[in-house]
Amino acid sequence: MKLCLAGKRGHIHYVFESIRDVPEWEIAGVSATTPEELAVLEDAAGTLGFSAESFSDYRTMLDTVRPDMVAIDGPFERHAEMCLEALRRRIHVFCEKPIAFHLSEVAEMEKLASENNLRVMSMAALRYEQAFQAACDMVRSGAIGELRLLQIQKSYKFGTRPDFYRKRASYGGTIPWVGSHGIDLMLAMTDAEVRDIRAVQSRCCNHDTGEMEMTAQCLFGLENGIMASLSIDFLRPESAPTWGDDRVRAAGTKGILEVCGGILTLLDSDGEHTVEMKGPFRRIFSDFAAEISGGPRALSGNAATFELARLCILAQESADRNQIVTAGGRI
């Protein structure tokens, strides 16, 4: 089965990390908006043993190669356009998040995917990291009883940010860029519908990086009184041992589960203990590709992908307006 790559702005490395786990797939074409990005994609595909044809325009690539799937990692503001072009050609889509900046774009994608039996997944991979994958399984299996409260943290180093982060029109906002991982983890842990969203954000201390938000907080009110909060920041010191610090605390009627530093801990009637994580663990791209080629269902489906996109847009809207936004259930 044929895969094409369109751009390398974000997490296209997810493809390279696990495409060898699905030997029925090959990288047949690559495209990018700059010669430098194109060269990186060519080298990466070649290192894996693929002879991919190169293109300067992704539409020409899709029409020439006619792939089964395209991995989209171009400019953020063009994600929706690129996804829709692929879906209109009846091509499955693996796309960097956010997949869209506007609700109307999400609705059009969902319609095309449904009408043509196509799969769309965004590159929100927190649910695929081992500790979080195990945590999701435990919450859903009832290890902490009835879930009542979720607290999720996404903290990053600021590092060096390209110019596109300076403008909302090309960046999309810190909530959909960073917060999407945490929101997707919330969706992975519960099927409860989101009823309302209250989000706040700040550009203070952003190293003169224009409109880029450095910090944000989101509060989600779910059905049955479940509450979820998400903390986002670019305040992690450069001296920190890792680029990011991702955490979750899930409190239920029979216990509390926490992930911190890749360690999964459970506090229940037997006391507090570290949970031994048992594989095999799935990886995001190969899990998605295997389903398309006839394997088991991936951990995330179209419903979660489109709901994630919608919630990111609504949370960003809440922060921009400084008011509560009604989510009104899932798409």
Side-chain angles (χ1 to χ4, degrees), residues 3-319:
L3 168 71
C4 280
L5 311 180
K8 65 156 301 292
R9 178 162 287 190
H11 295 87
I12 197 68
H13 62 271
Y14 291 149
V15 172
F16 305 133
E17 289 172 353
S18 64
I19 190 170
R20 283 305 188 191
D21 295 339
V22 279
E24 66 272 23
W25 285 88
E26 66 168 328
I27 299 175
V30 296
S31 68
T33 54
T34 69
E36 294 78 14
E37 289 186 355
L38 187 59
V40 172
L41 293 177
E42 291 170 341
D43 290 345
T47 298
L48 289 167
F50 298 109
S51 299
E53 192 172 356
S54 298
F55 300 85
S56 59
D57 182 81
Y58 78 94
R59 295 182 187 86
T60 302
M61 176 180 66
L62 297 181
D63 291 335
T64 302
V65 178
R66 301 181 67 183
D68 300 282
M69 186 210 306
V70 59
I72 294 171
D73 194 17
F76 294 0
E77 71 273 19
R78 297 186 64 190
H79 285 175
E81 165 214 314
M82 298 171 79
C83 286
L84 289 168
E85 290 285 357
L87 293 171
R88 291 178 187 126
R89 291 167 170 78
R90 300 189 177 183
I91 298 168
H92 301 284
V93 172
F94 182 59
C95 183
E96 179 60 276
K97 39 75 186 170
I99 63 171
F101 285 5
H102 305 287
L103 292 175
S104 59
E105 296 167 333
V106 180
E108 187 174 358
M109 286 184 212
E110 186 189 26
K111 182 175 183 292
L112 285 169
S114 177
E115 290 175 348
N116 295 291
N117 194 29
L118 295 169
R119 290 282 284 105
V120 181
M121 182 186 280
S122 61
M123 299 182 193
L126 193 60
R127 69 164 70 195
Y128 279 91
E129 293 187 15
Q130 291 188 5
F132 294 102
Q133 196 172 145
C136 290
D137 290 341
M138 291 182 67
V139 170
R140 284 188 170 270
S141 67
I144 60 170
E146 183 182 337
L147 178 66
R148 303 305 307 152
L149 185 70
L150 267 177
Q151 295 165 293
I152 302 168
Q153 172 183 297
K154 290 290 297 181
S155 178
Y156 286 138
K157 296 180 182 181
F158 183 80
T160 301
R161 298 287 159 178
D163 283 345
F164 72 83
Y165 281 86
R166 300 183 64 85
K167 294 290 186 181
R168 171 66 68 80
S170 55
Y171 174 42
T174 291
I175 289 174
W177 173 234
V178 178
S180 53
H181 292 289
I183 297 171
D184 186 64
L185 186 65
M186 176 182 72
L187 295 176
M189 286 191 165
T190 176
D191 290 323
E193 290 186 350
V194 176
R195 300 299 192 185
D196 53 68
I197 305 167
R198 176 72 171 94
V200 292
Q201 61 191 357
S202 174
R203 296 170 182 166
C204 291
C205 308
N206 73 352
H207 307 278
D208 295 321
T209 312
E211 299 172 356
M212 178 182 174
E213 300 90 10
M214 283 290 284
T215 53
Q217 294 275 352
C218 303
L219 179 63
F220 299 90
L222 284 68
E223 63 182 340
N224 301 322
I226 301 172
M227 290 174 280
S229 63
L230 172 61
S231 172
I232 308 164
D233 70 76
F234 283 105
L235 299 173
R236 190 159 169 77
E238 290 299 318
S239 60
T242 59
W243 180 259
D245 182 11
D246 301 332
R247 306 184 186 195
V248 68
R249 179 180 183 270
T253 55
K254 295 182 178 180
I256 297 173
L257 181 151
E258 294 182 284
V259 175
C260 179
I263 305 299
L264 176 59
T265 304
L266 176 65
L267 175 62
D268 59 11
S269 58
D270 296 325
E272 186 175 59
H273 54 278
T274 300
V275 177
E276 180 183 356
M277 295 177 287
K278 299 179 181 180
F281 292 97
R282 306 193 201 185
R283 296 200 282 182
I284 185 168
F285 173 75
S286 57
D287 194 42
F288 182 60
E291 178 182 338
I292 292 173
S293 52
R297 293 186 63 179
L299 294 180
S300 179
N302 280 21
T305 295
F306 295 129
E307 179 68 353
L308 171 61
R310 191 173 74 97
L311 291 176
C312 285
I313 293 167
L314 292 174
Q316 186 66 77
E317 178 182 328
S318 172

